[in-house]
Amino acid sequence: ACHSEKHVGQFYTLPSAHVRPLFPNGLPWRFQHQTKTFNETCIMVRQPALEVISCLKKADYSQPALRYLFYGLKGSGKTLSLCHTVHFCYTQGWLVLHVPDAHLWVKNCKELLPSSYSSSRFDQPLQATTWLRNFKITNEPFLSKIKTKERYVWTKREATEAGSPLGELVDQGISRVKSSSDVVGAVMKELRLQSSQPGADFRMAVAVDGVNALWGRSTIKRQDKTAVDLEELTLVYNLRKLMKNDWSGGAIITTLSQTGSLYTPKSAYLPQELLGERGFDSVDPFIPVSVPNYSEKEFESCYLYYMDRNWLQHPQSRTEEGKKELIFLSNRNPSMLERLCGFL
Amino acid sequence: MAANCVRFAASLLGKGVNGASPTNPVTLQLYRQICGTSALRRKNLAAAGPEKFTPEFIQKQIEEFEIGKRHLANMMGEDPENFNQEDIDRSIAYLFPSGLFEKKARPLMKHPDEIFPKQRAVQWGPDRRPFHFLFYTGKQSYYSLMHELYGKVLNIEKHQDRLRAKGLFSTETKQISLGTSRWLTKEELEELLVETISTHDYDRFIQLMERMLSMAYSSLEEEFILRHRQQLEAQTMHQVVPPLQKDDKGVDFSTAEGKRKTSKSSVVVRDGGSGSITINGEDYLHYFPVLQDREQLMFPLQFTGLLGRFDLECTVSGGGRSSQAGALRLAISRALLSFVSEGEGEAMRQAGLLTPDPRVRERKKPGQEGARRKFTWKKR
């Protein structure tokens, strides 16, 4: 996807062959419905995503990985910008480590197991297996190429030898549900080590949506109803290690999300507020990219797209006044506009 | 029961004393009076009608009112000569402050003519002959009015005939300018004539007036006709249009306030903007996440077609979500009045954008669960 600034405001279609492997459940829920209705996946080219893409093109990959953070008001298009960037990385042939929503790992946990690796930590087998499955679908070609460097022992009888392909590791995690979180940790460690090496022929893109979940609070409780600290969750711990800048040969692209976050006020959208002190310190230094509401041109193009797809059925919405009303009512917020047009 | 009593007495008499004798009527009368119960007497009083005020009584009341007015003026330290009704009302409200909600229940001091209903003076002289020649029709003032009216109609026709004979008859004469007026309603006519009329009579009256109007030379009786027409109050703007002020940078702006149900809001509408709205410092998309409230805000702008032109800076406090939206809407429409022409403003008023909503929360009454809801009714 070679987009430049000339293409700002235009929609481009993701080929469906890419969509299935890339985003098994990476796209926002409403957007998925829209995709099904329109029978195609179209994302608008917007300024923040273009900035990040241009930075990615020019970045030097022998340096430690750069961190990009999309932030903005609720519903202004952060997740979709992330998906756009991820798609770009995918087309460039990178390995994509996409966490659709980190908040899912931190709340509504149905199963908590004490970790097999270290006794103080807790595992989440369900989320880990889901993630491993998605990872497998997304990065099919890489699974056979990358080899593990160390030997991992799962139980007394099972172990993965050094030099076995990554695919085996992933399969191990999917089949052995109990150790899946440790597998996740192992996968991340491997990839981190390997992409830092100068001889690596692949680059890694770590895309995390709702990264403020990693440093916020969690609602998970133990059996005796005491709250679990986030550091005690294996998945969170490993992901935090990934977010540290100590590896090179890739980029970390993240978004903040207030919608899923726990115990944050609704009006908070700046990185400082949502990440908290600890989070900010760990993510610092990073490149913040603000995602504003639609500009006039972008709004025009979105409106024309809906007209083109015959999505606006109401006769008045096709007139000039109708357009002004839509601008007013949604205040050019992409998600509000989408919801409004949904019942027109 | 009383009637039974009387009949019983009569039947007794009838049975008892057979032949009609001269003593009987007297005894009959006596019997009747004794047999009449207090209930009968009470009913008669009620049927008599409202109290009649004699002209002397009214006169006395007027004198007392004038003296009282002078006393009141002296008490308030004002000039007794030029003491108007407004001054009286003001002073009474000051001297007798009342917290009653019903305005008609508060202490009142008005001229007796306004307080006592108009009644007809006695229509006949000491020899019991009526003054008016139409007294025995029953509705003397109505029939006299009709008589007078018909006389005028005939007068006009005679005038027309005379002109036609002279050859000066022309249809383009000065027509009476009625303006925005309407005929007196039946109630008003009754008030004017101090007697009741039926609908049929009223219709006849109107028919005759219309007929007179339709004749070419009705301008002769203009004064008479206008006496029976009521001027319609022009329902146009009684609104005060907020003044258009200019900012330092030359940007026009105007301020207005609005209220609804405990919320108060104040809005500054600035020209030349891009249609951004700030409420209490926050973006309106965050302040009103509900679409309905935003639609309420949009209504005045959409109605006048000025959606993208203004920047609004609003502050609102009190009430709930919906009432705040309503208060803001009122304030925006009032502020827009200064940017918009008179005709548009009239259209806004008719659309109901400028009317403050009088609905307030109704009080809960004792013996009921809520304002209207009663307790569950149990048969036993």
Side-chain angles (χ1 to χ4, degrees), chain A residues 11 28 32 48 62 89 131 146 167 184 193 204 213 229 256 285 313:
Chain A
F11 275 84
Q32 269 178 342
S62 48
C89 301
W131 186 80
I146 306 177
V184 170
L193 289 171
M204 187 158 80
D229 210 14
L256 290 176
Q313 288 292 316

Side-chain angles (χ1 to χ4, degrees), chain A residues 59 61 84 134 157 169 193 212 251 308:
Chain A
Y61 288 107
H84 181 107
N134 294 336
R157 273 169 246 166
L169 203 61
L193 289 171
N212 48 326
D308 184 45

